[in-house]
Amino acid sequence: MQRKIYLDNAATTALDREVLEAMMPYMTEHFGNPSSIHGFGRQTRAAIEGARKTIAKLLNVSPSEIFFTSGGTEANNLAIQKTIADLRITHAISSPIEHHAVGHTLEHLGHEGKIKLSYVKLKKDGHVDLEDLERLLGSTERSFVSLMHANNEIGNLLPLKRVGELCAKYDAVFHSDTVQTMGHYAMDLKDLKVHFVNCAAHKFHGPKGVGFIYINSAMKISPLIHGGSQERNMRGGTENLYGIVGLAKALEIAYRDMKEHQQHIQGIKTYMIEQLENSIPGVIFNGDAKGSSLYTVLNVCFPHTPQAEMFLFNLDIAGIAASGGSACTSGSNVGSHVLRAIGADMTRPSVRFSFSKHTAKDEIDYTVSKLKDMFKVKEKANP
Ligand SMILES: Cc1ncc(COP(=O)(O)O)c(C=O)c1O
């Protein structure tokens, strides 16, 4: 039987059994609406507030600063749309390599004439140019800054603390999309001058369709979704009870096992870099793969091949699940906006491989051997 290898963990991760077990009672016997005042409701309300406390403690913030959402996209929309509307900020600074949940939201506000949008320059390795950021911050009155902590396609990491300090110097509001780093790095939000960060549980072995936003208590904004008084009037709608329970459990596990998993996954990434460099002449890495980079993501730029457009498909046929960011193709697919913005060679196929605690070295060996076949690299003869 053909092997199936999952190297697309930046897209989503497998749900942990421990997480599922924590969720199960809230799918079955504890089903009360958390807004109901009777015992059934009080029991599920307690579970939600318990989850909020768990998360707040891990991030060193107050539970009143955590609001549950449907995931990372909604949290980004809330932070961006409501800060700009309610705090009457008319200048936003972002980068051309943000996730569409940020990029498209800001573009939309720009098209509606609600903001002037400035893009910070990127350095050759894809990192944000902090000098240019400071220039932009000083160029107008109060700005809204949205810069992601780790890029989901190339893995480049933003120095959150330094950017937070820069924003504070210019009294800017700082939002960082932390979807790819939450649960992968310990974050002490008291120590970071960031006003908004977000989370999607499915990126660290939690359930899909649930996440949260941290809103610093100094930020007074109104809801994006109007309705009932849930989430202390910040987000109407019956809570995703079992999702929230699963999210808190997944984050707890992520923090509990973080050191061990960081070490394992970084080892896998370094191993794949070495194997690829040793096996496929001309291979390079997009972004700062060997520098300040998220340990779960490796974006590989392969040599020219006539099969560039079929590359991911051929990997899939070989049983390997990875993700695009690939060569420009005809039709509506114009290739990755991230790779284009960092000046990657768009005529060569690029693939994002992303790892989890479940990824094993022999899966990398198998993947590299299939890649060698695809590039027709011959084994070196034994001396
Ligand atoms: C950096 C980043 N932001 C936001 C999102 C959107 O999260 P969700 O799909 O949970 O709404 C993703 C998901 O891929 C992401 O990688």
Side-chain angles (χ1 to χ4, degrees):
M1 217 178 62
Q2 197 200 27
R3 289 188 73 167
K4 284 209 178 301
I5 293 176
Y6 186 73
L7 298 177
D8 201 15
N9 290 279
T12 199
T13 53
L15 187 76
D16 262 347
R17 193 142 285 277
E18 251 186 288
V19 173
L20 179 66
E21 278 162 15
M23 293 167 69
M24 279 306 273
Y26 295 92
M27 292 179 164
T28 51
E29 67 256 45
H30 308 317
F31 61 85
N33 187 320
S35 296
S36 300
I37 55 166
H38 49 61
F40 288 82
R42 288 200 304 277
Q43 189 175 41
T44 53
R45 161 69 43 217
I48 290 182
E49 296 316 317
R52 200 186 313 278
K53 273 193 198 139
T54 300
I55 294 164
K57 191 156 179 245
L58 292 171
L59 301 180
N60 194 24
V61 296
S62 160
S64 63
E65 294 174 304
I66 300 294
F67 299 88
F68 294 113
T69 65
S70 62
T73 301
E74 183 191 326
N76 281 334
N77 271 269
L78 170 61
I80 296 169
Q81 296 200 43
K82 301 317 290 186
T83 306
I84 284 165
D86 295 347
L87 305 187
R88 297 180 202 287
I89 295 180
T90 54
H91 181 226
I93 303 172
S94 191
S95 83
I97 58 171
E98 298 298 307
H99 188 274
H100 287 321
V102 166
H104 285 173
T105 308
L106 285 168
E107 273 171 34
H108 173 71
L109 293 174
H111 288 147
E112 285 195 326
K114 297 206 170 113
I115 47 161
K116 178 180 170 294
L117 185 52
S118 304
Y119 291 107
V120 68
K121 279 190 196 140
L122 299 176
K123 296 201 280 198
K124 270 212 178 85
D125 56 9
H127 284 300
V128 167
D129 181 336
L130 296 185
E131 277 177 27
D132 191 51
L133 175 62
E134 180 150 19
R135 183 188 61 77
L136 288 171
L137 281 165
S139 69
T140 54
E141 50 198 63
R142 197 177 198 199
S143 301
F144 174 79
V145 175
S146 185
L147 291 170
M148 69 203 309
H149 188 196
N151 186 275
N152 52 300
E153 290 191 36
I154 57 173
N156 277 23
L157 280 168
L158 184 83
L160 260 191
K161 199 170 157 86
R162 276 184 69 197
V163 173
E165 278 159 6
L166 259 185
C167 289
K169 183 173 163 192
Y170 292 90
D171 190 30
V173 174
F174 179 31
H175 162 250
S176 186
D177 180 347
T178 51
V179 163
Q180 289 292 341
T181 50
M182 188 65 70
H184 296 283
Y185 294 95
M187 273 181 221
D188 178 350
L189 295 179
K190 279 254 157 60
D191 187 45
L192 300 171
K193 292 184 165 57
V194 62
H195 297 103
F196 301 95
V197 300
N198 62 348
C199 163
H202 68 108
K203 306 290 187 185
F204 49 93
H205 308 283
K208 294 175 185 41
V210 66
F212 66 81
I213 181 166
Y214 154 77
I215 306 181
N216 182 283
S217 59
M219 292 289 109
K220 306 292 178 212
I221 58 167
S222 60
L224 180 70
I225 297 176
H226 295 272
S229 58
Q230 290 92 351
E231 295 299 294
R232 299 177 314 290
N233 289 312
M234 266 308 286
R235 203 248 186 199
T238 301
E239 297 89 340
N240 177 354
L241 169 65
Y242 37 82
I244 290 169
V245 169
L247 155 62
K249 188 71 187 173
L251 197 64
E252 228 180 342
I253 296 170
Y255 269 70
R256 184 191 71 196
D257 302 338
M258 194 172 279
K259 279 218 170 77
E260 186 194 326
H261 291 158
Q262 271 184 358
Q263 219 176 11
H264 169 73
I265 301 168
Q266 181 63 60
I268 292 284
K269 175 170 168 173
T270 307
Y271 183 67
M272 188 163 192
I273 291 175
E274 285 164 8
Q275 293 305 304
L276 286 171
E277 282 181 334
N278 290 339
S279 316
I280 302 176
V283 89
I284 52 171
F285 303 98
N286 294 312
D288 189 21
K290 296 178 191 172
S292 180
S293 180
L294 175 62
Y295 55 90
T296 53
V297 168
L298 180 64
N299 196 307
V300 186
C301 180
F302 289 98
H304 283 112
T305 161
Q307 296 159 14
E309 291 187 11
M310 298 293 283
F311 205 73
L312 277 178
F313 181 70
N314 288 340
L315 276 176
D316 190 32
I317 299 278
I320 299 155
S323 185
S326 58
C328 176
T329 53
S330 56
S332 62
N333 179 2
V334 291
S336 154
H337 69 289
V338 174
L339 295 185
R340 189 174 299 280
I342 65 167
D345 185 344
M346 303 299 281
T347 63
R348 291 168 59 165
S350 284
V351 176
R352 178 188 71 182
F353 298 97
S354 50
F355 319 109
S356 83
K357 59 187 178 185
H358 301 305
T359 312
K361 256 188 178 170
D362 74 304
E363 294 181 308
I364 303 300
D365 291 335
Y366 180 83
T367 303
V368 173
S369 80
K370 290 289 168 192
L371 287 163
K372 278 165 75 174
D373 292 347
M374 283 163 73
F375 284 96
K376 300 191 175 46
V377 180
K378 297 208 173 59
E379 291 295 339
K380 282 185 196 132
N382 283 330

